[in-house]
């Protein structure tokens, strides 16, 4: 069973109630909190947690002059003490506008000051952190409902029961975003979801009435999601031609959808087909359908998929989707923006995989870690599950302490951007340890993994490295990396080497190597191999396999033909 992500609450007020509320909602997290108003002291202590949630006491700080600079300095010290940890910073808020009166408070008084410190905190937070604007959340919810003044005087925490629940939901969303990123795919119904009426029974038109305006506004919102990188797909019980016809007159066009399923199968079957076609896990899917029976069918058969509870009134569709906070992200990269524009002809339309790989006309470049690509590298480390050797979730600070080789890939269909990564550190005696090896799911099975590893080994050899250590951490999702099975361990899908081990030693700390061979890939181009892995030591403990290899020859890739091409 995977270890829960450990979250520690550092609050200037009483956080026991919040901890209990979070524990009820966040089943994949383990929560703890510091002693009352001991934020700074405990930030110096040994840090046995993954995420720090920082909460100010905005009731207390407003009672002295120059509190903005004082508080900012305080939190910057805490951030420095927590260097390397993921951070969720809660902002400040007001539940009263103060003695200046409402108007003057918004110009220069309490309200203005709260908004100023929130903006400053958000701007100065360490890169890769998540800021929760408490003023905005309570504003959406209604401050009178969000806060309960009596609770502050009696318990030294200001939230009402409903406000506590809303804050807890937002904190959990922030933690999920830091650990795994947001959802990737929004699957949409058509009739009653994108327009009024049944496309199989009448012509779908949009007039100037309020209902059609609401549907048009919802489509405009969805188009905006697609432009920032959310993948749109359709799952509709309709004849295919009937389902496509209305898009001649709508804001959304057929090209806005990466997959289009219109047939009479169960919606859950359609979603599974979309998942297969996009090569994305069901956990990254959100389903939006106005029919509660269809939502329940998907909920029963695909519990991994997030379901939007769609209201009866189309005017509230956007609000219902936003309430789930499904598509939160720390940044929007160039790769996000081009993701939905990229479409590949199915492999099945080619006579064999070899012809398919040739037809893609792939070109690749390798680049090191830079400030320019840091956001994208952090995003990949946070989100990638399937082709990920250890599924380590590093903060931006931790990534900066490592070295990197990043893969930039394009083909005849477009630029896929930064889609592959090796993070590593050099140890003593000219050895290197691979910390992270991953590929975006969009380029799995294109031989890009061989190209990246070959370039990594070539770089290491040029730098005088004689040995590479690699670690493989099994998870429920990284099946692209073979597990111990039938007495064999295959590391990195054979990219480094395939290791045959004595089955009787699998549960022991030492694994005896019986045989070693580089992996043969029949559909690769006929190029000479340029490195070979030689196992020197293996250790298997707590689900972690460590392998030492010496450098020699290796496996070729279609991309080896295009190493000098610009992307």
């Amino acid at each position: 069973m995977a270890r829960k992500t450990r979250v520690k609450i550092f609050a200037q007020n009483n956080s026991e109630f919040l901890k209990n509320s979070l524990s009820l909602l966040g089943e994949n997290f383990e929560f703890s909190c510091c002693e009352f108003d001991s934020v700074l002291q405990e930030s110096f202590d040994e840090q046995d947690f993954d995420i720090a949630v920082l909460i100010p006491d905005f009731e207390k700080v407003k009672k002295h002059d120059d509190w903005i600079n004082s508080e900012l300095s305080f939190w910057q010290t805490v951030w420095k003490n927590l260097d390397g940890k993921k951070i969720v910073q809660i902002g400040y808020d007001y539940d009263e506008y103060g003695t200046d009166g409402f108007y003057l408070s918004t110009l220069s008084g309490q309200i203005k000051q709260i908004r100023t410190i929130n903006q400053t905190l958000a701007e100065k937070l360490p890169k890769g952190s998540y800021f929760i604007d408490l003023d905005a959340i309570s504003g959406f919810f209604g401050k009178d409902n969000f806060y309960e003044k009596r609770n502050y005087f009696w318990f030294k925490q200001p939230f009402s029961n409903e406000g506590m629940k809303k804050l807890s939901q937002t904190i959990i969303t922030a933690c999920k975003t830091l650990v795994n990123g947001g959802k990737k795919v929004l699957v949409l119904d058509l009739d009653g979801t994108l327009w009024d009426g049944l496309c199989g029974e009448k012509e779908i038109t949009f007039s100037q009435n309020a209902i059609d305006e609401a549907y048009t506004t919802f489509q405009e919102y969805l188009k905006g999601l697609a432009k920032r990188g959310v993948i749109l797909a359709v799952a509709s019980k309709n004849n295919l031609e009937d389902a496509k016809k209305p898009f001649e007159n709508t804001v959304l066009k057929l090209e806005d959808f990466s997959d289009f399923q219109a047939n009479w199968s169960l919606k859950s079957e359609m979603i599974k087909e979309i998942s297969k076609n996009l090569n994305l896990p069901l956990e990254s899917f959100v389903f939006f359908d106005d029919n509660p029976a269809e939502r329940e069918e998907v909920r029963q058969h695909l519990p991994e998929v997030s379901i939007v509870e769609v209201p009866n009134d189309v005017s509230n569709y956007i609000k219902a989707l936003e309430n789930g906070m499904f598509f939160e992200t720390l940044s929007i990269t160039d790769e996000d923006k081009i993701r939905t524009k990229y479409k590949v002809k199915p492999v099945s339309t080619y006579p064999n995989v070899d012809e398919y790989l040739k037809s893609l006309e792939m070109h690749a470049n390798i680049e090191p870690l830079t400030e320019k690509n840091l956001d994208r590298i952090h995003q990949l480390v946070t989100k990638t599950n399937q082709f990920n050797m250890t599924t380590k979730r590093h903060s931006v600070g931790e990534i900066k302490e490592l070295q990197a080789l990043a893969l930039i890939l394009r083909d005849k269909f477009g630029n896929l951007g930064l889609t592959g990564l090796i993070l590593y550190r050099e140890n003593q005696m000219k050895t290197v340890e691979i910390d992270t090896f991953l590929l975006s799911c969009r380029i799995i099975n294109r031989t890009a993994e061989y190209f990246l590893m070959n370039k990594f080994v070539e770089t290491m050899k040029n730098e005088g490295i004689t040995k590479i250590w690699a670690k493989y951490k099994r998870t429920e999702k990284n099946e692209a990396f073979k597990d111990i099975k039938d007495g064999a361990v295959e590391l990195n899908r054979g990219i480094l080497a395939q290791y045959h081990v004595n089955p009787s030693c699998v549960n022991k700390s030492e694994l005896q190597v019986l045989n070693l061979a580089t992996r043969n890939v029949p559909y690769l181009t006929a190029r000479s191999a340029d490195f070979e892995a030689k196992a020197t030591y293996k250790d298997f403990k707590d689900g972690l396999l460590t392998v030492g290899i010496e450098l020699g020859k290796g496996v070729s890739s279609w991309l080896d033909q295009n190493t000098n091409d610009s992307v």
Side-chain angles (χ1 to χ4, degrees):
M1 183 177 179
R3 178 179 68 82
K4 291 185 177 183
T5 301
R6 296 163 298 185
V7 180
K8 185 168 182 178
I9 305 165
F10 291 80
Q12 292 179 325
N13 49 29
N14 183 359
S15 58
E16 284 291 339
F17 295 96
L18 179 61
K19 184 192 79 171
N20 294 336
S21 176
L22 288 165
S23 298
L24 290 173
L25 297 173
E27 60 183 20
N28 295 321
F29 296 93
E30 181 181 295
F31 296 95
S32 63
C33 56
C34 70
E35 294 295 326
F36 179 78
D37 200 16
S38 299
V39 174
L40 188 59
Q41 300 92 310
E42 294 201 25
S43 70
F44 284 104
D45 295 345
E46 185 176 344
Q47 299 165 4
D48 188 23
F49 58 89
D50 305 299
I51 301 175
V53 178
L54 311 180
I55 307 176
D57 184 348
F58 59 85
E59 293 283 353
K60 180 178 66 176
V61 298
K62 294 178 288 187
K63 298 184 179 173
H64 62 84
D65 296 332
D66 197 31
W67 68 271
I68 291 181
N69 290 329
S70 175
E71 287 296 294
L72 181 59
S73 176
F74 174 86
W75 289 117
Q76 286 178 317
T77 301
V78 174
W79 299 340
K80 185 177 180 180
N81 294 342
L82 297 174
D83 184 42
K85 295 295 182 182
K86 298 178 176 67
I87 293 174
V88 176
Q89 175 71 59
I90 311 291
Y92 291 75
D93 200 5
Y94 58 92
D95 54 1
E96 299 162 345
Y97 50 76
T99 57
D100 291 341
F102 179 75
Y103 172 63
L104 292 179
S105 182
T106 60
L107 293 181
S108 59
Q110 184 169 287
I111 295 176
K112 173 69 171 179
Q113 292 172 352
I114 291 292
R115 291 173 177 171
T116 297
I117 192 171
N118 282 345
Q119 181 178 353
T120 306
L121 282 172
E123 291 173 351
K124 293 186 177 296
L125 258 177
K127 204 166 189 176
S129 302
Y130 190 109
F131 181 73
I132 295 179
D133 190 330
L134 205 57
D135 176 25
I137 294 174
S138 65
F140 278 118
F141 196 77
K143 292 186 187 292
D144 289 342
N145 297 319
F146 196 79
Y147 294 109
E148 176 57 65
K149 198 72 173 182
R150 184 175 184 273
N151 285 347
Y152 182 78
F153 293 120
W154 283 82
F155 308 117
K156 289 297 177 283
Q157 70 86 14
F159 309 105
S160 67
N161 291 339
E162 288 302 310
M164 182 80 73
K165 181 179 179 181
K166 183 62 179 177
L167 177 60
S168 298
Q169 291 169 340
T170 307
I171 290 173
I172 288 172
T173 296
C175 291
K176 288 180 177 178
T177 303
L178 291 175
V179 174
N180 292 315
K183 304 290 184 179
K184 296 179 180 179
V185 184
L186 177 59
V187 180
L188 297 154
D189 175 48
L190 297 179
D191 297 332
T193 297
L194 295 187
W195 50 68
D196 188 28
L198 305 177
C199 62
E201 296 183 2
K202 69 170 189 176
E203 182 181 2
I204 301 298
T205 59
F206 287 80
S207 63
Q208 298 301 312
N209 64 51
I211 293 177
D212 284 346
E213 183 181 359
Y215 278 112
T216 298
T217 301
F218 184 50
Q219 287 198 29
E220 290 171 345
Y221 181 84
L222 296 173
K223 201 173 186 77
L225 287 180
K227 287 180 179 179
R228 54 148 282 196
V230 176
I231 298 171
L232 302 183
V234 165
S236 172
K237 287 185 177 178
N238 270 302
N239 295 324
L240 183 59
E241 292 307 313
D242 291 336
K244 289 183 175 181
K245 188 173 177 58
F247 288 99
E248 298 171 1
N249 305 307
T250 57
V251 171
L252 283 171
K253 302 300 181 184
L254 288 174
E255 55 265 27
D256 291 317
F257 299 97
S258 296
D259 199 279
F260 199 101
Q261 298 291 318
N263 52 62
W264 299 100
S265 303
L266 292 173
K267 291 290 181 81
S268 59
E269 293 299 319
M270 296 187 209
I271 293 173
K272 285 195 285 188
E273 185 66 20
I274 294 170
S275 174
K276 177 182 176 182
N277 293 342
L278 297 178
N279 196 24
L280 288 170
L282 291 169
E283 290 86 351
S284 64
F285 278 59
V286 176
F287 180 54
F288 193 107
D289 193 313
D290 68 301
N291 189 329
E294 299 291 3
R295 298 199 298 268
E296 184 60 25
E297 187 273 320
V298 173
R299 185 179 290 109
Q300 292 289 334
H301 291 100
L302 301 177
E304 313 97 310
V305 175
S306 296
I307 312 292
V308 181
E309 288 308 312
V310 181
N312 294 327
D313 189 345
V314 61
S315 304
N316 295 318
Y317 278 10
I318 294 175
K319 183 177 181 181
L321 191 54
E322 287 191 342
N323 281 344
M325 301 181 73
F326 300 110
F327 304 108
E328 287 294 290
T329 183
L330 296 179
S331 61
I332 298 175
T333 65
D334 292 338
E335 286 78 8
D336 292 323
K337 294 176 182 178
I338 65 176
R339 181 187 299 128
T340 56
K341 298 178 182 179
Y342 185 86
K343 294 180 175 65
V344 178
K345 193 175 179 182
V347 181
S348 58
T349 61
Y350 295 90
N352 54 57
V353 176
D354 188 55
E355 290 300 317
Y356 167 68
L357 291 173
K358 283 182 181 178
S359 74
L360 291 178
E361 301 174 11
M362 294 182 289
H363 302 264
N365 274 4
I366 298 294
E367 65 181 34
L369 174 67
T370 65
E371 283 296 325
K372 184 178 179 180
N373 63 25
L374 180 59
D375 280 346
R376 173 57 178 169
I377 287 177
H378 180 244
Q379 187 182 64
L380 278 177
V381 170
T382 300
K383 288 185 174 183
T384 307
N385 291 307
Q386 296 178 81
F387 195 103
N388 193 330
M389 190 168 68
T390 55
T391 321
K392 291 182 178 179
R393 306 302 193 190
H394 289 309
S395 67
V396 169
E398 289 169 331
I399 291 173
K400 286 182 174 181
E401 294 177 356
L402 299 167
Q403 294 175 274
L405 283 187
L407 172 74
I408 316 296
L409 181 66
R410 68 176 172 86
D411 61 24
K412 67 179 183 181
F413 296 102
N415 184 3
L416 289 94
L418 199 160
T419 44
L421 177 68
I422 293 178
L423 295 176
Y424 64 97
R425 62 174 59 85
E426 185 172 346
N427 300 322
Q428 297 177 348
M429 304 296 293
K430 291 296 181 179
T431 65
V432 158
E433 177 187 347
I434 297 177
D435 174 274
T436 296
F437 179 34
L438 59 81
L439 294 182
S440 166
C441 58
R442 289 182 286 158
I443 66 169
I444 292 176
N445 294 329
R446 287 173 168 233
T447 73
E449 58 267 41
Y450 296 94
F451 173 80
L452 178 56
M453 183 54 66
N454 285 349
K455 297 302 291 185
F456 173 70
V457 171
E458 178 184 326
T459 301
M460 295 303 99
K461 291 178 71 173
N462 290 340
E463 294 180 2
I465 300 299
T466 58
K467 186 179 291 185
I468 298 172
W469 289 94
K471 293 185 178 181
Y472 165 65
K473 177 71 174 180
R474 67 172 68 166
T475 72
E476 296 177 355
K477 298 179 182 179
N478 63 352
E479 294 182 359
F481 290 89
K482 301 296 184 181
D483 205 344
I484 293 179
K485 193 173 184 179
D486 298 327
V489 176
E490 191 175 319
L491 182 66
N492 303 349
R493 297 178 69 251
I495 298 152
L496 295 181
Q498 181 172 337
Y499 303 93
H500 298 283
V501 302
N502 186 338
S504 65
C505 297
V506 166
N507 294 321
K508 299 179 181 179
S509 61
E510 299 290 336
L511 295 182
Q512 178 184 356
V513 179
L514 302 181
N515 190 23
L516 173 69
T518 55
R519 186 181 183 193
N520 293 319
V521 184
Y523 56 79
L524 295 178
T525 95
R527 287 175 56 84
S528 60
D530 47 23
F531 80 90
E532 176 183 296
K534 180 181 179 183
T536 58
Y537 172 81
K538 299 165 71 69
D539 182 69
F540 189 77
K541 185 177 181 182
D542 298 328
L544 187 67
L545 175 68
T546 304
V547 181
I549 62 170
E550 294 177 356
L551 305 187
K553 296 190 298 181
V555 189
S556 62
S557 160
W558 279 107
L559 292 172
D560 286 325
Q561 303 174 75
N562 303 298
T563 56
N564 297 318
D565 290 88
S566 299
V567 175

